[in-house]
Amino acid sequence: MQTLPARSGEAEADPSGDTQNVWTQTRFQEILEALDEALVLWDSDLNFVLSNRRLDEMFDTRDITPRPGDHIAEVMRCQMQHGSLSLPDGLSAGQMISRWIAAITRYEKDIEVATKDGRILNASSHRTGLNGYLVTIRDAQRSAYEDRLAAVNDAIQALDEGLVLYDSEMNFVIGNRKLHDIFYRGEVPHPQVGENVVDTMKRLIDSEFYVIPDGQSKSAFLDQMTNTMKTYRKNAVLTSQAGRVYDTSVHKTALGGYLVSFSDITEQRRIERELEHQREITHQNEKLSALGELLAGVAHELNNPLSIVVGYAQMLQDQIDDPLISRRVERIAEAAERSAKIVKAFLAMARQRPAQLEECRLNDVIENALSVGASGLRSSGAQIDLQLDKALPLVMADADQMAQVFINLIVNAEHALADLGEGGKLLVRTSRNARTGDVVAEIRDNGPGIDPDIQSRIFEPFFTTKDVGAGTGVGLAFCHRIVDGHGGRLTVTSNARDGTSFFVHLSAVDGSGQETGSPQGKTTNGRNHQILVVDDEEHVADLIRELLEFMGHDVTTATGGREALRCIDSQEFDIILSDFKMPDLDGAGFHAALEKTRPDLAARFGIITGDAMGQKVLTFLQSGACPHIEKPIDVSELSALVDQLATKAGVSKR
Ligand code: ADP
């Protein structure tokens, strides 16, 4: 029997003694034996030359290995007798041998061979250099399995999830490419097969791969991770120092091993946070608008009674000689005016209308805001430093809304300065930014500053650090919305050493000159006009009448539009001042009727409304049909309205 020397275990010495030859032969044997395929070599006469061990394994022919020189027919007969080769049905041994010889000599490929245990093998014949025949045989079933395995492996490698398999002892078996990308790209070495998971985890923890939750020690973190494995926990969240977030799940395998998956959910988390933030803003906006409606309702109800207190208190002040009583009335007037301003502030805050932009002087707006908002600061003894740039250009702004912005900023500064008493300082400065050309107003306090951690949140609705009752968190959100609505910017700088500065940036009106005197004189330019006052609330109509009479005018009152029209039929008037919301004929209807019958009077028509939030009145006023003032009535505003109407219609002084 002559087979490859390697199959008997040891390389035989070359008879020529040529060691190089022996070495080559040994390598050749190694290669043949390492192959997964079976090999058998026949010479040109189909006599056996050699085969490898794989052939014996496939056909179970260890005991009948042919000798060199044995003819193929002989070898096959022997194998058939031995049962290594099975005869297909209806075929004689001779026919089978002839077929094989034909296939081999025609160098056919993929010839099917059945083994005695029913496996199908694939044989192929190849021509050798010496015109012999090399027959290779491979296990078709085994290679399909291997192909499937390779495909599975390929798919696992292609996954976007990191996957790692540990055996039942938690020793590393295999991990995919993504696993490597997540954990072992940097300095941490990849685990060796057989390495225990605890060692791998320790390495990752020691190299600061993970963010360890505050207050947790490294060993406690390691215990927690090991526990995650043991309990086959799903959806545990791990965060890396690089800022990535991984959803980690452990699955039990059929062989008792642990398959761990890592999905990168950083982006998903970011989107979730963003959505949550948006939901929160929407929710807060809804709350803000509900709160606004409530405030508007309350403010509206307060307008008429407040008008009476304010109006009569202002009138009484000038009529009383007794200094003590005069002082007391003055107090009432001040308190009532303050209340009136608060009501107006509520209304301005709650108003959803777009800003009504007009050219205005920011310095005046700020001075008004200070007169309302800085009383607390004054009484606490804080210094107020006003540095208003006299040469400031005009801005396009809604003066009411802007005043609210400054009142809010001033009141916040007052809160920030509460503990400093006389050491508190408020600086209010206006200037023009030389680079952008914007008008900038700065409200600075030397309070404790805003913690950097919350600076990004202070403009959120309902964000407050103040005690319940002291803060609502609405102020800055409102300011931001208003300044934004003006196309401007509200910014803040703050630190514990210098305190806090809020900056309101607004565009200057192109080519506008410097601020000079007052835009509208508040003084009356005429006296003794015949005025018709229309208001369905009798007390309010009386108050307006008395105020106007006090200014020297002759006044007639009516309690509704229809009654007013009757008055006009029988009497001449210079000016008409009308409420808007009245049961029989409202301000708009009354004005429309006048436009038809007495257009001259329609041009001298002013509205005094307590319902500046109502959609109907807003639409009417925005149409520019007539000037208006809002309740609670301020004497100087009333006087200015009369002057405006008198001037507009060219009513001459009587
Ligand atoms: P509120 O004043 O009702 O709390 P704001 O929206 O006006 O609501 O302000 C939100 C938060 O911003 C305040 O609670 C406070 O923490 C901070 N803040 C605003 N202005 C200042 C300031 N001048 N100095 C220090 N902190 C301030």
Side-chain angles (χ1 to χ4, degrees), residues 412-413 416 445 449-450 454 458 463-466 471-477 500 502:
N412 275 348
D445 65 66
I450 306 171
I454 61 162
I458 57 172
F463 176 80
T464 181
T465 55
K466 296 174 189 168
T472 57
V474 175
L476 287 179
T500 303
F502 282 93

Side-chain angles (χ1 to χ4, degrees), residues 387-437:
Q387 297 180 11
L388 301 182
D389 178 357
K390 293 261 180 319
L392 207 63
L394 299 176
V395 290
M396 287 302 281
D398 184 316
D400 270 359
Q401 290 189 348
M402 264 310 148
Q404 288 311 311
V405 169
F406 288 111
I407 291 171
N408 273 303
L409 298 177
I410 293 164
V411 170
N412 275 348
E414 179 194 330
H415 289 165
L417 296 176
D419 292 339
L420 293 180
E422 291 181 358
K425 284 186 193 147
L426 175 77
L427 169 69
V428 181
R429 179 161 51 192
T430 55
S431 58
R432 183 164 198 183
N433 183 310
R435 191 176 53 81
T436 60

Side-chain angles (χ1 to χ4, degrees), residues 196-233:
N196 193 267
V197 72
V198 175
D199 295 328
T200 318
M201 284 175 182
K202 261 195 199 140
R203 244 197 344 266
L204 285 165
I205 292 172
D206 288 342
S207 62
E208 316 281 331
F209 178 83
Y210 295 113
V211 173
I212 298 180
D214 280 347
Q216 197 172 24
S217 67
K218 283 186 177 177
S219 66
F221 186 66
L222 179 64
D223 287 349
Q224 183 193 318
M225 302 237 306
T226 324
N227 206 37
T228 301
M229 289 278 286
K230 283 187 190 147
T231 55
Y232 303 103
R233 229 185 111 185

Side-chain angles (χ1 to χ4, degrees), residues 20-40:
Q20 176 65 34
N21 242 352
V22 172
W23 187 86
T24 309
Q25 198 178 17
T26 310
R27 293 282 85 83
F28 180 60
Q29 287 156 7
E30 271 177 15
I31 292 166
L32 290 186
E33 294 307 343
L35 286 174
D36 263 353
E37 290 180 319
L39 289 178
V40 52

Side-chain angles (χ1 to χ4, degrees), residues 190-334:
H190 197 282
Q192 298 292 319
V193 173
E195 179 178 290
N196 193 267
V197 72
V198 175
D199 295 328
T200 318
M201 284 175 182
K202 261 195 199 140
R203 244 197 344 266
L204 285 165
I205 292 172
D206 288 342
S207 62
E208 316 281 331
F209 178 83
Y210 295 113
V211 173
I212 298 180
D214 280 347
Q216 197 172 24
S217 67
K218 283 186 177 177
S219 66
F221 186 66
L222 179 64
D223 287 349
Q224 183 193 318
M225 302 237 306
T226 324
N227 206 37
T228 301
M229 289 278 286
K230 283 187 190 147
T231 55
Y232 303 103
R233 229 185 111 185
K234 307 281 181 293
N235 307 116
V237 174
L238 288 174
T239 309
S240 75
Q241 295 280 5
R244 311 301 301 177
V245 185
Y246 298 100
D247 179 316
T248 308
S249 292
V250 186
H251 312 266
K252 189 177 190 167
T253 70
L255 298 175
Y258 301 81
L259 179 69
V260 190
S261 61
F262 301 89
S263 311
D264 190 330
I265 53 167
T266 316
E267 187 57 13
Q268 186 185 329
R269 277 288 162 102
R270 193 191 61 73
I271 292 168
E272 279 168 12
R273 266 202 315 274
E274 180 61 21
L275 278 177
E276 185 53 38
H277 182 62
Q278 293 300 337
R279 261 199 299 272
E280 181 69 4
I281 289 179
T282 312
H283 178 57
Q284 285 173 339
N285 279 342
E286 280 165 5
K287 277 204 284 185
L288 200 60
S289 116
L291 188 71
E293 272 171 36
L294 186 73
L295 284 179
V298 173
H300 181 221
E301 285 309 310
L302 286 176
N303 268 339
N304 282 339
L306 261 183
S307 289
I308 290 169
V309 181
V310 174
Y312 283 123
Q314 284 178 342
M315 269 175 69
L316 277 177
Q317 266 177 286
D318 292 337
Q319 290 174 331
I320 293 164
D321 294 333
D322 183 330
L324 184 64
I325 299 180
S326 173
R327 176 76 199 118
R328 286 177 184 156
V329 172
E330 196 183 318
R331 293 261 165 90
I332 295 175
E334 279 170 8

